[in-house]
Amino acid sequence: MSRKQGRPKMGHEPLTRDRILVTALDLVDRHGMDALSMRRLASELGVDPMALYHHLPSKSAVVAGLVERVFGEFHVPSPQNATWQDRVHAVAAAYRDLVRSHPNLVLYLTTDREASARGALEGSEALYAALAAAGLPPRQILLAADVVVDFVNGYVLSDAAGHIGESGERAALVARLNESPVDQFPTIRRVVESLTEEELRGDFHAGLGIILAGIQAMQQGSAGQL
Amino acid sequence: MSRKQGRPKMGHEPLTRDRILVTALDLVDRHGMDALSMRRLASELGVDPMALYHHLPSKSAVVAGLVERVFGEFHVPSPQNATWQDRVHAVAAAYRDLVRSHPNLVLYLTTDREASARGALEGSEALYAALAAAGLPPRQILLAADVVVDFVNGYVLSDAAGHIGESGERAALVARLNESPVDQFPTIRRVVESLTEEELRGDFHAGLGIILAGIQAMQQGSAGQL
DNA sequence: ACCTGAACACCGTTCAAGT
DNA sequence: ACCTGAACACCGTTCAAGT
């Protein structure tokens, strides 16, 4: 009688928005965004596709719900006795790890402002507070925070794209480099050839460190003008 | 007899990969990614949907072709008598403008390494050369370039998302801030309330300036260690 | 070689109907 | 109130057939 394998669930537990989103997130984590369809999601829940529409108005609402849920898991660290630099590193790393835990959702996590706003506020507050502790005036806090956020979003996007496509971070670029005439792109060639595999890897905290040094330079520059 | 309005084209000019991509890019620029389907693209060209498959193997090949085409238009500026900082600003701004000219494609432009690799090489060479001119050793060139690239990608993504969704850059965040209890997010509140509308806007070159200051600090720090 | 048309296996969503 | 089932207007892609 059972049309599907071992699932003991008989469809008894009531369908809820939450149960739908949990299943959808699992589906996306396991099989990617392309696997997320209302029909497949419904069949995963053992339910008629149209039943979903009583809890979520559309597919895009499902995706927004996923982003919201994931950002709900974003618990911002606030290390004690830490420099403002360490606090920025901690928030940024927590965000990077959050996105890494759902790499198939990265495009939506970094892009859907509306759905991520609630969770993003907590991260922003921690970031702004760290920059305020560094002694920056409001306008510089805003500028500095934007740089950090844009960098981190760019990083996680490139990080996740590397995981989704099988090629390592720089593989596609190096492949094209090797296809090109040897007299082209001399600087890239020199850099790539003088570094080991290990040194070619990106470094999140090193990159962030450059930005924090720049923030410090900006702050000291403007303090000098006072 | 004519089923469509005014189009004088009779389907005479032969279907080519290039003609397909030009039409596809126009479709995406005008109506967004969702409007790009093989069937609609074919009807735009006055042709049977399956005709497309003789020139491009799949829809994803069409999208990759678009990315490739757009990056083909990426002509990297190399200003004369410019500081290395100005050269980085120029390359970054050219890339930003390129993406801005096709905002509906931003997700694919920033994400599809494979299709963008050819065009990205020219930008990278200019960037690496500028950083080499700044006196950085290879490993630092790589790290610094990654920071610049990740920042710029994060920026254009957020910039384009602002244009696609109608809300201005920070609108969603401020909206949620106003919905929240007034004792929450004190630092964000203080920053947002002390700035004018104008000062709340992001600033691409200011952000990039912070990063360049950080690069300079890193370089001087390591030079001091020699 | 290039284009067509029917067909297959999917989509998201609306609407009327069931309990 | 919540779920169902048929139906509509789409998809991408395969395959056999036309010229």
Side-chain angles (χ1 to χ4, degrees):
Chain A
M1 280 295 158
S2 69
R3 315 204 318 271
K4 295 225 165 149
Q5 62 275 64
R7 297 276 176 82
K9 134 187 4 155
M10 302 289 193
H12 286 120
E13 56 258 81
L15 196 58
T16 60
R17 193 186 115 106
D18 231 56
R19 222 157 72 74
I20 294 171
L21 290 179
V22 169
T23 306
L25 189 54
D26 184 66
L27 193 58
V28 170
D29 283 343
R30 267 197 229 277
H31 301 104
M33 262 295 164
D34 288 349
L36 180 64
S37 75
M38 297 303 267
R39 296 172 116 107
R40 176 154 178 190
L41 180 52
S43 99
E44 210 83 15
L45 286 156
V47 108
D48 186 278
M50 296 313 110
L52 304 177
Y53 285 87
H54 278 269
H55 300 91
L56 288 149
S58 66
K59 181 179 175 178
S60 68
V62 173
V63 176
L66 293 183
V67 172
E68 220 178 277
R69 257 193 94 81
V70 170
F71 268 96
E73 297 164 14
F74 183 27
H75 292 306
V76 178
S78 55
Q80 306 288 0
N81 304 332
T83 62
W84 68 267
Q85 286 94 337
D86 285 344
R87 289 164 69 189
V88 174
H89 277 285
V91 178
Y95 176 72
R96 179 204 53 181
D97 292 342
L98 184 77
V99 176
R100 266 194 185 155
S101 68
H102 302 282
N104 294 335
L105 211 52
V106 65
L107 252 33
Y108 299 85
L109 291 173
T110 53
T111 280
D112 188 340
R113 299 178 134 70
E114 206 58 53
S116 67
R118 190 70 193 61
L121 266 179
E122 312 206 18
S124 291
E125 174 64 23
L127 184 55
Y128 281 39
L131 294 169
L136 301 188
R139 171 66 173 156
Q140 289 189 5
I141 291 177
L142 199 84
L143 287 174
D146 278 358
V147 177
V148 171
V149 169
D150 287 340
F151 163 71
V152 173
N153 273 326
Y155 182 92
V156 297
L157 206 71
S158 138
D159 186 53
H163 289 244
I164 294 170
E166 64 281 7
S167 67
E169 302 250 339
R170 241 172 283 273
L173 204 82
V174 173
R176 291 306 170 96
L177 187 66
N178 292 332
E179 290 167 13
S180 308
V182 287
D183 58 327
Q184 287 193 326
F185 314 116
T187 319
I188 302 181
R189 280 211 150 73
R190 194 163 54 72
V191 168
V192 167
E193 283 163 11
S194 70
L195 295 176
T196 65
E197 191 79 11
E198 175 62 28
E199 289 172 317
L200 277 174
R201 229 184 296 281
D203 185 330
F204 181 68
H205 288 291
L208 195 51
I210 292 177
I211 291 174
L212 298 188
I215 292 172
Q216 204 158 15
M218 166 179 68
Q219 188 240 336
Q220 286 164 354
S222 77
Q225 289 176 342
L226 290 180
Chain B
M1 278 295 156
S2 69
R3 315 204 318 271
K4 293 224 167 147
Q5 62 276 62
R7 297 278 176 81
K9 133 185 7 154
M10 304 288 193
H12 286 122
E13 56 257 83
L15 196 58
T16 61
R17 194 187 114 107
D18 230 56
R19 222 157 72 75
I20 294 172
L21 291 179
V22 169
T23 306
L25 188 54
D26 184 65
L27 192 58
V28 169
D29 283 342
R30 267 196 230 278
H31 301 104
M33 263 293 165
D34 289 348
L36 180 64
S37 75
M38 297 302 267
R39 296 171 116 108
R40 176 153 179 192
L41 180 52
S43 99
E44 210 82 16
L45 286 155
V47 111
D48 185 279
M50 294 316 108
L52 304 178
Y53 286 86
H54 278 268
H55 300 90
L56 288 149
S58 66
K59 180 180 175 176
S60 69
V62 173
V63 177
L66 293 183
V67 173
E68 220 178 277
R69 258 194 95 79
V70 171
F71 268 96
E73 297 163 13
F74 183 27
H75 292 306
V76 178
S78 55
Q80 306 289 1
N81 303 333
T83 62
W84 67 268
Q85 286 95 337
D86 285 344
R87 289 164 68 188
V88 175
H89 276 285
V91 178
Y95 176 71
R96 180 203 53 182
D97 292 341
L98 183 77
V99 175
R100 265 194 184 156
S101 68
H102 303 282
N104 294 335
L105 211 54
V106 64
L107 253 33
Y108 299 85
L109 291 173
T110 55
T111 280
D112 188 340
R113 296 179 136 69
E114 205 58 52
S116 66
R118 191 67 194 62
L121 266 180
E122 311 205 20
S124 290
E125 174 64 22
L127 184 55
Y128 281 39
L131 294 169
L136 300 188
R139 171 66 173 156
Q140 289 189 5
I141 291 177
L142 198 83
L143 287 174
D146 278 358
V147 176
V148 171
V149 169
D150 286 340
F151 163 71
V152 173
N153 273 326
Y155 182 92
V156 297
L157 207 70
S158 141
D159 185 53
H163 289 244
I164 293 170
E166 64 283 6
S167 67
E169 303 250 339
R170 242 172 281 274
L173 204 82
V174 172
R176 292 305 171 96
L177 187 67
N178 291 332
E179 291 167 13
S180 308
V182 287
D183 58 328
Q184 286 193 328
F185 314 116
T187 318
I188 301 181
R189 281 212 150 72
R190 194 162 55 72
V191 168
V192 168
E193 284 164 10
S194 70
L195 295 176
T196 65
E197 191 80 10
E198 176 62 28
E199 288 173 318
L200 278 173
R201 230 183 295 281
D203 185 331
F204 181 69
H205 288 290
L208 195 51
I210 292 178
I211 291 174
L212 298 188
I215 291 171
Q216 202 158 18
M218 167 178 69
Q219 188 240 336
Q220 285 164 355
S222 77
Q225 287 175 344
L226 288 182

